[in-house]
Amino acid sequence: MQKKQSQQSSSSLAITDDRTKVILQDNSGCPVWSTPFKVAGRINRAQLTESRVIITSFSLDYHAWGTLGPVYLLNKEDGALIKELKGETAATLANGDFLLGLEGYDLFDTWLYDCDGNQKQQWKSYGHYVVDKNDIIVLEADRRNPTQAHVVRLKSDGSIEKGVDLHCGSVSEPIVLKDRSIAFIDSGNFRVVNRELEEIAIEPLIAIDKDNAYRFISDLYFESNQIRINIYERENKSPYNYKLHSWLVQWAK
């Protein structure tokens, strides 16, 4: 059985339950490629551009790059491998380019590639990517205490426009609201930042000491016309059970 992972236009990507193979399907669910593409380890995420498929993966064996596996760049038409690249996360742009990012191993970088896997630009920034056409905003994740992370914009000339500071170096994955502003959870606070990288709202939810921030994991998503916020607090001692703190926030999508 296969699971749909990403969708664009009339085609979608499906990943096998063991997360070792991916295939492109048409809008009726029929395979477009003659055979699925198989990765060496496990698939993390698969994404579509207009002409390419980008697969991030993790390795089954620990090696110099930990459990990080290759990034596979495929031809969307037939599933043929074009190039193997390096990165933990990926994001696609409207013009067919794509981003790869990696933090750790003395790296804190984002690279911009064209559809053939040729590097076009690089920035010393990494985190959650919010891409609107070809505009790139990053909620940085440096995992430092105290953090030096910001909400930033990656500019085409390789420069970085800094916006508001982040309270911790590992904020939640963001959501984009109806007015294109960006909402996320940062050290127990619900924060909203506009496209000019300015904070327009902050609502404290739970007090989190910076030295204990590693024990908290957050997520948020739309639930009807509200935003559901979950903060999972890990206990100090083994076995590591989690306590759920949950809220519904009124906010227009």
Side-chain angles (χ1 to χ4, degrees):
M1 181 178 179
Q2 296 187 320
K3 302 176 181 179
K4 290 184 179 179
Q5 176 75 13
S6 180
Q7 186 166 321
Q8 178 173 319
S9 184
S10 60
S11 58
S12 62
L13 293 170
I15 297 174
T16 55
D17 288 342
D18 63 3
R19 306 198 71 81
T20 63
K21 298 175 185 176
V22 64
I23 194 165
L24 186 71
Q25 298 176 331
D26 62 21
N27 57 6
S28 63
C30 296
V32 175
W33 304 336
S34 58
T35 57
F37 181 84
K38 181 175 174 57
V39 306
R42 292 285 188 271
I43 295 168
N44 178 31
R45 190 180 180 194
Q47 301 179 63
L48 284 172
T49 71
E50 185 175 343
S51 62
R52 300 290 184 251
V53 175
I54 302 157
I55 302 170
T56 53
S57 71
F58 56 94
S59 173
L60 298 177
D61 301 309
Y62 192 87
H63 51 84
W65 287 91
T67 58
L68 183 69
V71 176
Y72 301 94
L73 179 63
L74 311 183
N75 184 349
K76 180 181 173 183
E77 183 177 347
D78 58 9
L81 177 67
I82 295 172
K83 190 174 285 188
E84 289 188 11
L85 299 164
K86 178 175 62 183
E88 183 177 357
T89 56
T92 62
L93 279 64
N95 63 358
D97 292 348
F98 63 95
L99 304 172
L100 293 179
L102 181 59
E103 182 262 344
Y105 309 99
D106 297 322
L107 291 171
F108 183 66
D109 293 80
T110 296
W111 300 274
L112 175 67
Y113 293 94
D114 67 16
C115 64
D116 294 319
N118 301 309
Q119 184 179 323
K120 297 175 64 175
Q121 193 53 270
Q122 180 177 359
W123 301 269
K124 277 292 178 184
S125 179
Y126 170 81
H128 297 297
Y129 301 113
V130 181
V131 177
D132 184 356
K133 296 182 179 177
N134 298 313
D135 182 45
I136 306 165
I137 292 176
V138 184
L139 278 62
E140 292 185 321
D142 64 3
R143 306 187 191 280
R144 295 179 180 178
N145 187 17
T147 183
Q148 298 178 25
H150 295 77
V151 180
V152 303
R153 172 173 282 108
L154 306 185
K155 305 186 82 171
S156 60
D157 62 0
S159 62
I160 299 173
E161 177 188 349
K162 282 190 177 182
V164 296
D165 297 349
L166 296 175
H167 299 164
C168 74
S170 182
V171 302
S172 74
E173 188 170 344
I175 58 174
V176 178
L177 306 179
K178 186 177 181 179
D179 63 358
R180 298 175 61 244
S181 59
I182 301 163
F184 57 97
I185 307 303
D186 180 5
S187 195
N189 300 285
F190 173 74
R191 300 182 69 182
V192 182
V193 174
N194 63 21
R195 304 303 292 199
E196 287 70 46
L197 313 184
E198 302 164 334
E199 184 168 79
I200 58 175
I202 182 168
E203 183 175 337
L205 299 172
I206 183 173
I208 298 177
D209 182 86
K210 291 182 179 180
D211 292 332
N212 288 307
Y214 68 92
R215 294 197 295 110
F216 293 82
I217 301 172
S218 306
D219 63 33
L220 71 169
Y221 52 87
F222 293 114
E223 188 173 297
S224 298
N225 291 322
Q226 298 174 297
I227 299 172
R228 170 66 66 183
I229 299 170
N230 295 317
I231 299 179
Y232 304 88
E233 179 182 0
R234 196 189 79 184
E235 294 179 354
N236 266 321
K237 296 181 180 180
S238 178
Y240 293 129
N241 296 314
Y242 284 83
K243 179 181 179 180
L244 172 63
H245 308 271
S246 191
W247 299 262
L248 270 176
V249 175
Q250 295 283 351
W251 198 281
K253 273 179 135 176

